[in-house]
């Protein structure tokens, strides 16, 4: 990420700097600060709005340059619609940022005031707008040395805006509320960065090194190398990485934030295939570059751990990522090979491109055996089939526990990182039985996302478990007002919310 946007809070009475953004509600309703400005401009705002047919509808805006009677050089009237839910306010904040960023200037002020704020307190409104603006401000420009955004070659925000001041009734308490939102944004940005990074720069070893830095945030980080993985009998994970020149890694990240020592830990497991060529069952060339994002599940787990640590979440959580590169070579595994997983179960590898499940098999087994968690949630860009089924609007949710599934669905609605529950069942499970081993790693043409999930479930003991197939959500996902990036960082806000709503407030 380039320099992050600096966000600060100030009183409504404080003097604004740079572009001044104001919110207008439906039928052009203005809150008191904006009304005051309208008076000082002798009804200039109202006149301009009428001339432009601007009514305050969401996702509309008008610009008024150098309005007489004020010091502002540029005034933006932003349609707020009726942002009744938290997510509406985040999206509004993102839209505001996009409108400011489309114009010149290093600094801007937003008056976080609505004529009809609904149930949102002034500080919640300000903090939510700030969070949305921050999420929108992300850009991955690390490798662009000459091409300037001003060339108009893309829609990414320009480099211009550095500082956004949010004016509100209670700036101090808004800043406090925002602090934990900002922590989550840090996690989202880490996940986006990891997914956007090209595979030549980010292999398993480099990913592990990036994650090691989380120790400075208070996360306990252990990196397991191949000798250690062999000692643990992680034969399935190692088989995926064996064709690559780059060694595999498993990283364990622990956050101890619960008040009571005895609280069971929550476990999160991520598929971290740093590049997926398909191996000997190689993928076609077209679009293969996208497979640099096949570690989106692992990126989310790393981002979540950073978010929890930064906001000092009152929970014990462990994140585990299986990091490999799936390459064809003289050492690569072959279709038909039979490997033994850490669980002891044997797997006939009929397609080396169904590699993510092999990685999850060992890391999930290890996570349960070592941590005996309260639940385990895995995230994986596991199947193209889930994109066929759900597109990019929902991630596929598979679970052996209705309560956990419902909690995830609710967190999805609240954050906009939505999940859709898919079925599991004996008949699907049968499809991965093998004559030659305990199971095979593909199930035939039908129900590809489900047979993938059934495979993963064979490595779950008695633990409540949810599997999120994020192939459509983690990379090249739907862009929106709070996600301008190819790597979306999907799941960090979802899981942070799941924890905040259900596993933190009271130690149940
Ligand atoms: N990483 C892919 C899944 C994927 C596809 C992620 C498109 C993101 C976008 C996974 O390893 C894979 O190759 N799955 C195969 C499974 C098949 C061989 C059973 C697939 O989906 O085709
Ligand atoms: Mn694959
Ligand atoms: Zn893959």
């Amino acid at each position: 990420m380039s320099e992050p946007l600096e966000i600060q809070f100030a009183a409504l009475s404080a003097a604004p700097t740079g572009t001044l953004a104001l919110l207008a509600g439906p039928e052009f309703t203005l809150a008191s600060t904006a009304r005051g400005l309208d008076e000082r401009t002798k009804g200039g705002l109202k006149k301009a709005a009428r001339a432009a047919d601007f009514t305050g509808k969401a996702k509309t805006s008008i610009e008024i340059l150098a309005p007489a009677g004020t010091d502002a050089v540029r005034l933006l009237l932003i349609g707020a619609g009726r942002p009744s839910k938290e997510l509406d306010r985040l999206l509004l904040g993102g839209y505001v940022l996009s409108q400011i960023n489309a114009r010149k200037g290093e600094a801007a002020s937003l008056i976080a005031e609505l004529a009809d704020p609904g149930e949102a307190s002034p500080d919640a409104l300000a903090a939510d707008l700030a969070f949305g603006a921050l999420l929108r401000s992300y850009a991955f420009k690390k490798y662009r040395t000459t091409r300037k955004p001003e060339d108009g070659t893309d829609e990414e925000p320009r480099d211009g805006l550095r500082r956004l001041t949010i004016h509100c009734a209670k700036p101090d308490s808004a800043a406090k509320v925002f602090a934990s939102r900002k922590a989550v944004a840090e996690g989202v940005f880490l996940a986006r960065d990891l997914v956007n990074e090209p595979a030549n720069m980010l292999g398993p070893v480099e990913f592990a090194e990036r994650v090691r830095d989380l120790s400075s945030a208070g996360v306990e980080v252990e990196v397991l190398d191949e000798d250690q993985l062999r000692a643990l009998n992680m034969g399935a994970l190692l088989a995926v990485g064996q064709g690559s020149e780059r060694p595999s890694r498993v990283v364990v990240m622990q956050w101890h934030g619960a008040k009571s020592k005895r609280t069971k830990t929550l476990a999160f497991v991520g598929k971290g295939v740093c590049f997926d060529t398909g191996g000997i069952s190689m993928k076609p060339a077209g679009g293969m570059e996208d497979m640099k994002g096949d570690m989106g599940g692992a990126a989310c787990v790393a981002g979540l751990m950073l978010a929890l640590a930064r906001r000092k979440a009152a929970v014990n959580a462990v994140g585990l990522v299986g990091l490999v590169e799936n390459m064809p070579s003289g050492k690569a595994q072959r279709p038909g090979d039979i490997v033994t997983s850490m669980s002891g179960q044997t797997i006939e590898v009929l397609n080396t491109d169904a590699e993510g499940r092999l990685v999850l098999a060992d890391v999930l087994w290890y996570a349960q055996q070592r941590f005996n968690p309260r639940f385990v949630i895995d995230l994986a860009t596991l199947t193209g089939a889930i994109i066929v089924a759900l597109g990019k609007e929902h991630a596929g949710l598979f679970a052996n526990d209705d309560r956990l599934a419902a909690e995830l669905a609710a967190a999805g609605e609240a954050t906009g990182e939505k999940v859709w529950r898919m079925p599991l069942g004996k008949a699907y499970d049968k499809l991965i039985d093998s004559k030659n081993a305990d199971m095979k790693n593909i199930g035939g043409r039908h129900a590809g996302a489900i047979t993938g999930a059934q495979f993963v479930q064979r490595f779950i003991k008695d633990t409540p478990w949810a599997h999120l197939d994020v192939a459509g959500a983690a990379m090249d996902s739907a862009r929106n007002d709070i996600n301008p990036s190819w790597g979306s960082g999907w799941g960090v806000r979802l899981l942070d919310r799941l924890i905040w709503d259900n596993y933190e407030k009271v130690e149940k």
Side-chain angles (χ1 to χ4, degrees):
M1 197 192 48
S2 40
E3 276 292 285
L5 177 67
E6 190 192 315
I7 295 186
Q8 58 195 32
F9 296 86
L12 286 167
S13 57
T17 43
T19 297
L20 175 57
L22 300 163
L23 303 175
E27 283 144 57
F28 202 66
T29 42
L30 299 178
S32 73
T33 307
R35 268 205 316 273
L37 263 161
D38 190 43
E39 276 157 29
R40 276 199 292 171
T41 57
K42 303 208 169 66
L45 305 194
K46 222 171 273 157
K47 262 184 255 166
R50 212 172 301 131
D53 281 337
F54 173 82
T55 61
K57 239 175 54 188
K59 296 203 69 148
T60 62
S61 72
I62 58 170
E63 177 179 25
I64 308 170
L65 293 172
T70 75
D71 295 333
V73 230
R74 175 182 287 106
L75 216 144
L76 286 179
L77 277 172
I78 311 271
R82 264 195 198 81
S84 50
K85 296 200 205 97
E86 182 186 323
L87 178 59
D88 300 331
R89 297 190 288 274
L90 260 56
L91 293 166
L92 175 58
Y95 179 72
V96 169
L97 196 273
S98 75
Q99 293 307 299
I100 293 173
N101 238 345
R103 276 104 185 163
K104 264 175 34 180
E106 285 204 349
S109 290
L110 165 65
I111 309 294
E113 226 186 1
L114 285 170
D116 174 17
E119 58 192 40
S121 65
D123 38 331
L125 173 65
D128 290 343
L129 291 170
F131 188 30
L134 183 56
L135 289 170
R136 179 58 179 268
S137 73
Y138 176 91
F140 185 73
K141 294 204 193 123
K142 203 172 160 184
Y143 300 105
R144 282 169 52 167
T145 64
T146 54
R147 212 157 56 95
K148 296 277 183 313
E150 283 78 8
D151 298 346
T153 44
D154 61 32
E155 305 162 2
E156 280 176 34
R158 39 172 86 223
D159 290 320
L161 188 69
R162 291 250 147 84
R163 206 171 62 241
L164 176 65
T165 306
I166 304 210
H167 296 254
C168 60
K170 293 183 179 163
D172 291 342
S173 54
K176 264 193 212 116
V177 179
F178 179 62
S180 60
R181 304 275 211 287
K182 191 175 166 188
V184 176
E186 260 191 76
V188 174
F189 287 5
L190 171 62
R192 287 179 181 173
D193 278 348
L194 288 167
V195 174
N196 286 328
E197 199 68 53
N200 62 328
M201 303 307 282
L202 192 86
V205 171
E206 293 80 11
F207 191 124
E209 287 312 310
R210 283 284 280 275
V211 170
R212 225 193 258 283
D213 297 343
L214 298 196
S215 59
S216 65
V219 179
E220 191 184 318
V221 183
E222 286 161 75
V223 178
L224 308 182
D225 65 17
E226 284 198 348
D227 285 340
Q228 290 165 294
L229 302 181
R230 259 187 296 275
L232 286 165
N233 297 316
M234 290 204 189
L237 179 146
L238 285 165
V240 177
Q242 81 189 31
S244 173
E245 294 291 325
R246 302 157 113 183
S248 303
R249 294 284 184 267
V250 167
V251 185
V252 183
M253 298 161 259
Q254 294 185 67
W255 168 248
H256 306 283
K259 307 265 177 323
S260 144
K261 283 260 177 315
R262 284 177 326 202
T263 325
K264 263 192 163 184
T265 195
L266 313 179
F268 301 90
V269 169
K271 167 179 171 181
V273 177
C274 293
F275 196 79
D276 181 13
T277 63
I280 296 296
S281 315
M282 204 189 291
K283 289 182 181 298
M288 200 204 272
E289 65 275 11
D290 282 359
M291 287 303 126
K292 72 172 186 177
D294 208 18
M295 26 56 72
C300 171
V301 170
L304 173 69
M305 296 309 293
L306 178 60
L308 294 177
R310 281 274 193 256
R311 71 169 181 79
K312 304 234 174 310
V315 71
N316 291 339
V318 57
L320 302 101
V321 293
L323 303 169
V324 299
E325 182 175 54
N326 189 21
M327 296 290 266
S329 80
K331 293 188 297 177
Q333 65 174 338
R334 292 149 290 259
D337 282 5
I338 294 176
V339 300
T340 302
S341 67
M342 182 181 177
S343 73
Q345 298 177 94
T346 56
I347 304 160
E348 186 179 22
V349 181
L350 289 183
N351 187 322
T352 64
D353 196 13
E355 84 297 341
R357 58 200 73 183
L358 301 175
V359 174
L360 291 177
D362 280 342
V363 182
L364 278 167
W365 192 263
Y366 177 71
Q368 294 166 93
Q369 203 178 56
R370 176 164 167 197
F371 295 102
N372 184 29
R374 170 137 181 216
F375 67 61
V376 60
I377 297 177
D378 76 74
L379 296 100
T381 49
L382 203 71
T383 68
I386 200 66
I387 309 178
V388 175
L390 299 176
K392 290 165 181 285
E393 291 304 322
H394 290 86
L397 163 65
F398 299 84
N400 65 3
D401 185 278
D402 292 343
R403 181 171 151 192
L404 183 57
E407 289 169 354
L408 278 163
E413 285 303 318
T415 56
E417 294 187 334
K418 291 183 286 187
V419 298
W420 194 262
R421 192 163 181 189
M422 302 279 289
L424 290 161
K426 270 219 169 70
Y428 294 115
D429 185 66
K430 251 175 90 69
L431 299 175
I432 53 169
D433 282 340
S434 159
K435 285 200 297 280
N436 300 317
D438 295 335
M439 69 195 88
K440 52 191 180 186
N441 75 332
I442 52 172
R445 255 163 45 81
H446 296 161
I450 306 176
T451 50
Q454 293 291 166
F455 183 98
V456 174
Q457 189 174 20
R458 290 198 182 196
F459 299 87
I460 300 298
K461 302 181 209 175
D462 295 326
T463 317
W465 157 76
H467 158 63
L468 294 168
D469 193 334
V470 297
M475 53 164 130
D476 193 19
S477 54
R479 312 295 199 277
N480 60 41
D481 278 331
I482 49 176
N483 174 38
S485 169
W486 186 84
S488 59
W490 193 98
V492 175
R493 289 188 305 112
L494 171 79
L495 297 175
D496 177 73
R497 183 65 176 243
L498 170 85
I499 292 171
W500 171 257
D501 279 350
N502 304 288
Y503 297 92
E504 211 173 336
K505 281 179 187 157
V506 274
E507 303 214 312
K508 287 177 223 167

